[in-house]
Amino acid sequence: MTSGSLLEKINSKSAAQIFRELYGENEIDSARRRYAALIPGTQDSYFPKTEEPLRIFTAPGRTELAGNHTDHNCGKILAASIQLDCIAIVQKRNDNTVFFRSAGFQDISIKLTDFSGAPDLQPKPEEAGTAKALIRGIAAELRRRGFDTGGFSANAESAVLPGSGLSSSAAVEVLIGRIFDSLYGKGLSALEIARIGQIAENVYFGKPCGLMDQAACSCGGAAAIDFTQTALDKTLDPVIKQINFDISAAGYILCIVNTGGSHADLTSEYASIPAEMKAVAAFFGKSVLAELDRETVFDRAGEVRKSLGDRALLRALHFFDENARVDAMTGVLLKMENNIDKTEKINLFNLYLDLANESGDSSWKLLQNVYPANNPSSQGVAAALAITKDFFRRQKLRGACRVHGGGFAGTIQVIIPADAMNAYNACIEKIFGAGAVTPLRIRPKGAVELVF
């Protein structure tokens, strides 16, 4: 497909239907402009003048609905892919070189073979923490699994806000994985793409993340993800249950609020959560909390406190309580999906809101990731939660709010009645600045190639 024919496709009726599904009815025209804006970046020498067509790919960010800091101890998560995504126009190459261009970043060119033509896919320390490491790591893991890889040129752009807990890095990982698979692969499942991205981030990029972010970005839609069986055998896949969750049908909007806090110097805060949870597990001779139950830990709470301190105990209790909430919230959503009685649906959604608030309160009180212990004067997340709760009270609204993502700084998640959104936005912007509120939309597709 040439650039001219690609532009025609982007402006076609079939593209409008796809954009409606991904971004919503009111965003079709902006989606057309966004994809079309990538075409000029494919007109230079980095994109080979061959018969290979230009192709379009997209991978979404994700939002965590429940299951705050449970995946690293093989717990349960409720998450959803969102309309904010990473997109790319791609052309296959025949020289084993990957050229990756992304708006706002330096162009990347990486050779997947050495001078002899052999695969050059070992981790390189100098690439740690870079996009090069992710590309090399994804190609290496595909090769290790017996799949072909090869070169491509990509002109990309991401709307996934960095530092917002929306998993901008995981979106890029599953995008690259899906590109490799579509150009050279055998039709890998969304979960396999997610695992490959996680391995690249762990081994090549150098970040010991769990699988939740990649799984949510790759699979699409709302999904309950249960990592429990991976505690016993890391080769086993998590159990994923797709859920049809349309918040707008209940008359509500899902959004995040950016408090403007920096994630710099918070590594030790983030690391302390899995470390303390695993320390409690080790107290009982286990590796992760998923191998235990709440009663076992609670029965020996005094011993745990004495050995590991109060915070470790509280964080372990959060883990068990949050797992139970994910089950309860999943059950509520499944009942809503299959219930046609309007009154009952309202009652079920109100129960969901109550559980979402409980999740937020548990993160604040037990998990303690709402503000950093080493900088008590910086409590933007706590302030946003308090202001939101006060807004609900003053406006006599039913809504929910909770810390979003890793915590300590950054964003909160809010579920608010649609007709109160303008007033809430005005309230928040007075305190946190213009553009602090970003509405989210759960989209049904994960990392895919778009065919118009």
Side-chain angles (χ1 to χ4, degrees), residues 190-214:
L191 190 54
E192 287 176 297
I193 294 289
R195 277 202 178 279
I196 289 167
Q198 181 205 12
I199 291 168
E201 186 161 349
N202 291 171
V203 179
Y204 285 74
F205 189 86
K207 180 180 177 182
C209 66
L211 183 62
M212 187 266 285
D213 292 351
Q214 292 86 354

Side-chain angles (χ1 to χ4, degrees), residues 246-304:
D246 184 1
I247 290 178
S248 63
Y252 279 73
I253 291 176
L254 176 70
C255 61
I256 57 169
V257 175
N258 183 2
T259 69
S262 171
H263 289 87
D265 302 321
L266 291 176
T267 301
S268 62
E269 297 278 8
Y270 294 124
S272 70
I273 296 177
E276 290 181 8
M277 287 184 178
K278 289 177 180 178
V280 174
F283 180 87
F284 292 90
K286 305 296 183 182
S287 59
V288 291
L289 288 177
E291 298 176 272
L292 296 166
D293 58 67
R294 193 183 197 279
E295 290 70 26
T296 297
V297 174
F298 198 80
D299 285 346
R300 297 179 64 185
E303 297 173 63
V304 173

Side-chain angles (χ1 to χ4, degrees), residues 90-102:
V90 176
Q91 187 176 36
K92 189 176 182 180
R93 302 171 66 109
N94 60 7
D95 59 359
N96 281 306
T97 295
V98 172
F99 172 77
F100 194 84
R101 168 177 288 160
S102 183

Side-chain angles (χ1 to χ4, degrees), residues 293-344:
D293 58 67
R294 193 183 197 279
E295 290 70 26
T296 297
V297 174
F298 198 80
D299 285 346
R300 297 179 64 185
E303 297 173 63
V304 173
R305 287 186 65 218
K306 185 176 181 179
S307 176
L308 302 172
D310 289 325
R311 192 173 70 172
L313 172 64
L314 293 172
R315 285 174 164 173
L317 295 179
H318 164 83
F319 173 87
F320 296 117
D321 293 348
E322 192 76 341
N323 273 352
R325 264 187 296 273
V326 169
D327 285 341
M329 293 168 80
T330 301
V332 167
L333 294 180
L334 291 173
K335 286 181 181 178
M336 286 180 63
E337 187 177 333
N338 297 315
N339 199 309
I340 60 174
D341 182 80
K342 185 177 180 179
T343 300
E344 181 62 17

Side-chain angles (χ1 to χ4, degrees), residues 13 136 222 301 311 450:
K13 288 183 178 179
R136 193 182 301 278
R311 192 173 70 172
L450 299 182

Side-chain angles (χ1 to χ4, degrees), residues 92-152:
K92 189 176 182 180
R93 302 171 66 109
N94 60 7
D95 59 359
N96 281 306
T97 295
V98 172
F99 172 77
F100 194 84
R101 168 177 288 160
S102 183
F105 298 91
Q106 285 190 334
D107 291 350
I108 293 171
S109 183
I110 175 172
K111 192 79 170 177
L112 300 178
T113 54
D114 62 20
F115 294 111
S116 69
D120 185 17
L121 299 174
Q122 293 302 310
K124 297 185 181 299
E126 67 273 17
E127 291 180 355
T130 69
K132 275 189 175 183
L134 294 177
I135 294 169
R136 193 182 301 278
I138 291 167
E141 184 60 18
L142 285 165
R143 287 284 187 92
R144 191 187 70 80
R145 292 167 180 243
F147 297 107
D148 291 334
T149 59
F152 63 83

